Amino acid sequence: MSYVENDGTNQRPDPLHGRKLNVGIISPYSFETPGGVQFHIRDFAEELMKRGHKVEVLAPGRRTRDMPLWVTTNDSSFSIPYNGSVARLSYFGFVGPRARRWVKQGHFDIVHLHEPECPSLSHKPLTMIHHPPFVGTFHAAFDPYPLVLRFFQGYLRQYLSPLSAGICVSEAAKQVVDHYGPRDIEYDVIPNGINCKFFATAQPKAAWLGTPERPTIGFLGRMGEARKGFSVFARAANDIIKRYPSARFLCAGTGEQDALKILGKVDPSGMLSKRFEFLGRISDKDKARFYKSLDVYVAPQTGGESFGIVLVEAMAASCAVVSSDLDAFAAVAQDGDDAALFANGDGHDCARQIISLLDNPERREHLRQAGFERSKRYDWPVVADRVLEVYARVLS
């Protein structure tokens, strides 16, 4: 399936009428460790710079060798459990004055705060008396709604009142923000973006390709985090090898030792673990090749997901996707039209959907094509246009 360049016929009119902006973006999470919000900020910044805008990013933590020069760090961060994961935030001591000074000295036309409700850097500028317009993007989704947020609702609504506009990456994220966000601003639901061409034009890796008798089924994520659903994937694999004894399960991401413990509980004989191959943390280039090489990509996450970026990436690589029926995933999959959905947490149902696709190449091809078309609405040029419309509305 080939990638077709946007010929400009479906582009939105430039909401800024040619004006070039100086944009400051603040990340709540350190760039030292990879994560969805950090990737979102990085890729959006690069898209703006392609268009001639100036962008600077402030993030917690320390600089690493591969960090872009336009990212400034404050040399301070701490780890804390957050939404089923571990986040590296920055909040105490000199962090607030340094963040506010960065905003003041940047002379920005607009400052974009990610997760401003989170106790970290993007929370700090909201106390400034004189400041450029603030736009906040809200990424988090919770089910159930956390007690701590319920307790701080009134405080957050007042603290976030300097925001001029809000962006939620999904309807699931907006349902959370509706509890504590300021009620006098407009919220736009604008999804995360991806570079569709990057995934669409990737070449599969011969060593990872499967065959009809030996299909390759993939998982990508932190295997040690329960919410990423590796245990669901393992239970599904135990059913799949009864139908496809030579199936390969290719796993990218951290937590191999955790994964082996889970596999040992699912199958104490150790036979199941022999069907698994662990790639560790892979580069962006290899991630695209990973999706491109699979017969089926599986997203078994059980909660805490506000979007479905892994689904969209796999779709852009023309890979058939099977995912849990989380609200955020179902929205990307259009309730099963563009990806096969299974009951959240149900490994047997997950296996049933995967086997159905492996048994039916025509249905698998239909999902590949449908998913590929669906991914185009998340291409960065499309998503960035929508964010710039919010900027234009705020600046006007």
Side-chain angles (χ1 to χ4, degrees):
M1 194 171 299
S2 61
Y3 179 83
V4 179
E5 289 281 4
N6 191 327
D7 62 5
T9 57
N10 61 349
Q11 289 182 344
R12 297 166 180 252
D14 179 8
L16 297 169
H17 305 291
R19 178 183 175 184
K20 302 304 179 186
L21 299 180
N22 180 16
V23 181
I25 303 176
I26 301 184
S27 169
Y29 309 128
S30 170
F31 272 57
E32 296 169 274
T33 53
V37 173
Q38 297 94 313
F39 289 145
H40 175 100
I41 291 170
R42 179 200 65 188
D43 295 344
F44 175 61
E46 289 175 348
E47 177 65 27
L48 289 189
M49 287 186 280
K50 286 180 187 176
R51 302 180 182 211
H53 302 287
K54 180 182 177 183
V55 182
E56 294 181 50
V57 172
L58 178 65
R62 294 169 176 80
R63 287 200 62 81
T64 57
R65 187 176 300 176
D66 59 347
M67 204 172 287
L69 293 176
W70 38 266
V71 175
T72 298
T73 60
N74 72 347
D75 300 318
S76 171
S77 66
F78 63 94
S79 299
I80 185 172
Y82 179 70
N83 195 18
S85 183
V86 176
R88 292 187 64 86
L89 311 177
S90 187
Y91 189 77
F92 300 106
F94 61 86
V95 168
R98 282 190 66 175
R100 290 185 284 271
R101 185 166 62 249
W102 182 84
V103 171
K104 184 177 180 180
Q105 293 176 346
H107 301 288
F108 301 113
D109 297 305
I110 201 159
V111 173
H112 198 147
L113 309 173
H114 285 261
E115 300 277 46
E117 82 287 3
C118 181
S120 191
L121 275 189
S122 47
H123 197 67
K124 296 298 186 179
L126 292 165
T127 60
M128 295 177 68
I129 297 175
H130 303 289
H131 57 80
F134 290 144
V135 171
T137 287
F138 299 89
H139 297 262
F142 303 94
D143 185 23
Y145 185 66
L147 181 63
V148 66
L149 279 182
R150 194 180 304 276
F151 181 80
F152 283 105
Q153 276 179 190
Y155 163 78
L156 284 175
R157 183 166 290 120
Q158 178 63 32
Y159 199 94
L160 297 171
S161 61
L163 291 175
S164 298
I167 295 172
C168 303
V169 300
S170 65
E171 286 293 344
K174 186 174 185 302
Q175 289 173 12
V176 174
V177 176
D178 283 344
H179 287 280
Y180 63 77
R183 290 172 174 159
D184 58 347
I185 66 172
E186 187 172 344
Y187 295 92
D188 292 76
V189 176
I190 303 176
N192 292 328
I194 67 163
N195 182 341
C196 283
K197 182 179 180 181
F198 177 77
F199 292 98
T201 59
Q203 296 300 309
K205 191 170 181 176
W208 295 344
L209 287 170
T211 66
E213 296 76 25
R214 191 174 182 245
T216 303
I217 302 155
F219 170 95
L220 185 150
R222 296 183 290 274
M223 289 165 266
E225 287 186 17
R227 72 185 181 99
K228 296 301 181 182
F230 183 82
S231 61
V232 179
F233 185 62
R235 293 195 298 273
N238 203 35
D239 287 355
I240 292 167
I241 59 173
K242 297 171 185 175
R243 174 71 177 82
Y244 288 90
S246 298
R248 301 168 65 202
F249 300 93
L250 206 59
C251 302
T254 58
E256 178 178 346
Q257 294 306 312
D258 295 304
L260 290 172
K261 291 178 183 178
I262 292 169
L263 290 171
K265 292 179 180 178
V266 173
D267 176 27
S269 74
M271 296 303 295
L272 180 61
S273 62
K274 294 180 180 179
R275 310 308 313 158
F276 277 72
E277 299 173 44
F278 298 95
L279 306 177
R281 184 176 290 170
I282 57 177
S283 66
D284 286 348
K285 180 180 179 181
D286 277 344
K287 180 168 67 170
R289 298 182 71 187
F290 170 79
Y291 292 130
K292 204 76 170 183
S293 304
L294 300 175
D295 293 292
V296 177
Y297 174 72
V298 184
Q301 285 86 333
T302 60
E305 303 290 336
S306 62
F307 187 58
I309 195 70
V310 287
L311 276 69
V312 177
E313 291 174 345
M315 289 173 172
S318 299
C319 180
V321 174
V322 172
S323 86
S324 60
D325 60 357
L326 294 174
D327 288 346
F329 287 4
V332 170
Q334 295 199 103
D335 293 322
D337 289 344
D338 301 328
L341 301 176
F342 67 88
N344 184 15
D346 189 336
H348 300 300
D349 193 32
C350 177
R352 184 178 64 82
Q353 291 291 351
I354 295 168
I355 292 170
S356 175
L357 290 182
L358 295 176
D359 286 348
N360 189 337
E362 291 79 13
R363 181 175 175 234
R364 192 163 77 246
E365 179 62 22
H366 170 75
L367 278 189
R368 288 178 66 244
Q369 294 184 14
F372 178 74
E373 291 301 319
R374 177 68 169 166
S375 71
K376 293 179 181 178
R377 78 184 299 267
Y378 303 101
D379 201 11
W380 264 121
V382 176
V383 174
D385 280 347
R386 295 188 60 193
V387 177
L388 289 176
E389 287 174 0
V390 174
Y391 286 4
R393 187 175 71 234
V394 167
L395 293 170
S396 68

